Amino acid sequence: MVKKSLKLTVVCGIVLSISIVSKWVLALATVESTQAVLVNTIDTWRFQTVSPDPTGLAYDKLNDRLIISDSEVNEIAELSKGINVFSSSRSGSLERGMSTLGFSREPAGIALDSVRGHLYVSDDDSHRIFRLDPGPDNVRFSDDDIVSFVSTLDFGSSDPEGLAFDDQYQTLYVVDGKHSKLFVLSDIDQFFGASKSPNPALVHDIGLMSLAILDPEGIEFDGRTGRVYIVDARRHTVSVLSKSGKLVQKISLPIEMSKPSGITIAPSTQDSNRMGLYISDRGIDNNVDPTENDGRVYEFLITPPQD
């Protein structure tokens, strides 16, 4: 009986693998493919206050700055200065260092509501997403900040990684690396408001494995086109999805990254008439090398998918 059960398990596993591969083939068969072009490299490990493991990325439109979170810097005693969020120019000049240590020691993903100024931070250790309201002075990471949170376990995510925000519809996008899923949280105030009891109907999840996205780490929402960009840390590609979750484009990256993580869209430093795709690379993990310091952010030019 044991031999038969083992045989059945192996056969089922093979059938399941074939099924997944078949879905990949179907998903990719009619999808447009393009190659990104590297145009700039930001060595975050060279910042005055270094970022060895840049993880989350967001673009602050109002101040024309990149916001970079680092989930590991505080685990490296030689490098830690209590700073794990960095504000930088698009070309890579550090402007300001900030800290989430008052509410999160593991700021994985980061997203910005450009209309109301709220900053969203995911923590995959505590399974939470925090919302930072800049308060009356309208300055984030100051004394009058108001911080609230939601448990991602409440909507089925145990590994919240990248975050993205849709300003127009006040919708938060969350990618879960462990389950390879995209969670879409509508009417975001229902999650962080006083009630703290959001309607389950406000959460929509999309499976990413069938789209050949194996380890989603970073996500960005492009409000100009309504497209969702997801970077896959295992396959080192960027997948472009419609809002409904249809795969519309695969973007190949021209360089081999160690650990691609965050992704954002911002004006290009090379061509002001085009938008650049910025992707962070954590490099070697500090669990492998406790003194590592090799973080980077790469800027690419891409050809947007055809409608």
Side-chain angles (χ1 to χ4, degrees):
M1 289 297 292
V2 174
K3 288 183 179 180
K4 287 183 179 180
S5 297
L6 179 60
K7 192 172 185 179
L8 180 60
T9 301
V10 172
V11 170
C12 289
I14 293 173
V15 171
L16 180 60
S17 297
I18 293 173
S19 175
I20 292 174
V21 171
S22 297
K23 288 182 179 179
W24 289 358
V25 172
L26 289 173
L28 297 174
T30 59
V31 172
E32 176 187 344
S33 297
T34 188
Q35 178 86 17
V37 178
L38 179 66
V39 295
N40 190 39
T41 301
I42 300 172
D43 292 325
T44 61
W45 65 273
R46 291 180 182 271
F47 281 169
Q48 183 176 1
T49 303
V50 300
S51 172
D53 289 285
T55 312
L57 275 178
Y59 177 56
D60 182 349
K61 301 175 185 176
L62 182 62
N63 297 298
D64 188 25
R65 291 289 184 269
L66 296 176
I67 304 177
I68 306 166
S69 63
D70 190 313
S71 64
E72 308 297 318
V73 62
N74 292 302
E75 298 178 5
I76 306 174
E78 294 82 359
L79 302 179
S80 177
K81 295 182 179 180
I83 301 297
N84 59 6
V85 178
F86 307 83
S87 175
S88 162
S89 69
R90 286 180 284 113
S91 60
S93 296
L94 179 64
E95 177 196 46
R96 180 187 176 207
M98 299 157 285
S99 174
T100 67
L101 295 181
F103 56 90
S104 171
R105 301 191 66 84
E106 186 87 5
I110 196 163
L112 181 64
D113 175 351
S114 297
V115 175
R116 298 193 292 177
H118 294 159
L119 188 72
Y120 293 88
V121 179
S122 63
D123 186 318
D124 56 355
D125 273 0
S126 67
H127 314 301
R128 291 178 174 179
I129 296 174
F130 297 90
R131 181 167 80 174
L132 188 152
D133 182 331
D137 69 359
N138 204 33
V139 177
R140 286 183 291 274
F141 298 99
S142 63
D143 292 339
D144 65 346
D145 289 346
I146 302 168
V147 179
S148 54
F149 72 87
V150 62
S151 170
T152 62
L153 297 176
D154 290 345
F155 56 83
S157 172
S158 61
D159 186 28
E161 296 286 355
L163 301 177
F165 198 79
D166 180 349
D167 294 339
Q168 182 178 1
Y169 293 100
Q170 291 293 296
T171 298
L172 184 67
Y173 293 83
V174 186
V175 285
D176 185 297
K178 182 178 180 180
H179 302 290
S180 191
K181 277 190 173 184
L182 168 59
F183 292 89
V184 185
L185 281 57
S186 304
D187 195 3
I188 198 64
D189 283 339
Q190 291 294 315
F191 292 86
F192 294 89
S195 67
K196 287 291 197 63
S197 299
N199 185 333
L202 297 176
V203 181
H204 175 56
D205 66 271
I206 299 170
L208 300 176
M209 188 69 74
S210 62
L211 304 179
I213 303 173
L214 307 182
D215 186 11
E217 287 284 328
I219 183 170
E220 174 67 308
F221 177 77
D222 186 354
R224 300 166 305 123
T225 62
R227 304 298 194 193
V228 178
Y229 289 72
I230 299 176
V231 61
D232 188 331
R234 194 180 307 180
R235 296 174 67 88
H236 294 198
T237 57
V238 175
S239 299
V240 185
L241 280 60
S242 67
K243 274 189 174 184
S244 63
K246 178 184 177 182
L247 183 64
V248 296
Q249 187 182 51
K250 280 282 187 180
I251 302 173
S252 299
L253 302 177
I255 57 172
E256 188 72 16
M257 297 185 186
S258 297
K259 186 67 173 179
S261 48
I263 182 172
T264 195
I265 295 174
S268 171
T269 59
Q270 305 297 309
D271 184 348
S272 59
N273 295 316
R274 297 179 64 180
M275 300 299 282
L277 198 64
Y278 296 75
I279 300 177
S280 56
D281 184 3
R282 291 173 51 189
I284 298 173
D285 194 276
N286 63 298
N287 289 327
V288 176
D289 179 359
T291 62
E292 59 84 13
N293 183 21
D294 56 356
R296 291 183 172 89
V297 173
Y298 296 100
E299 178 194 346
F300 302 95
L301 283 178
I302 60 170
T303 302
Q306 298 297 315
D307 292 328

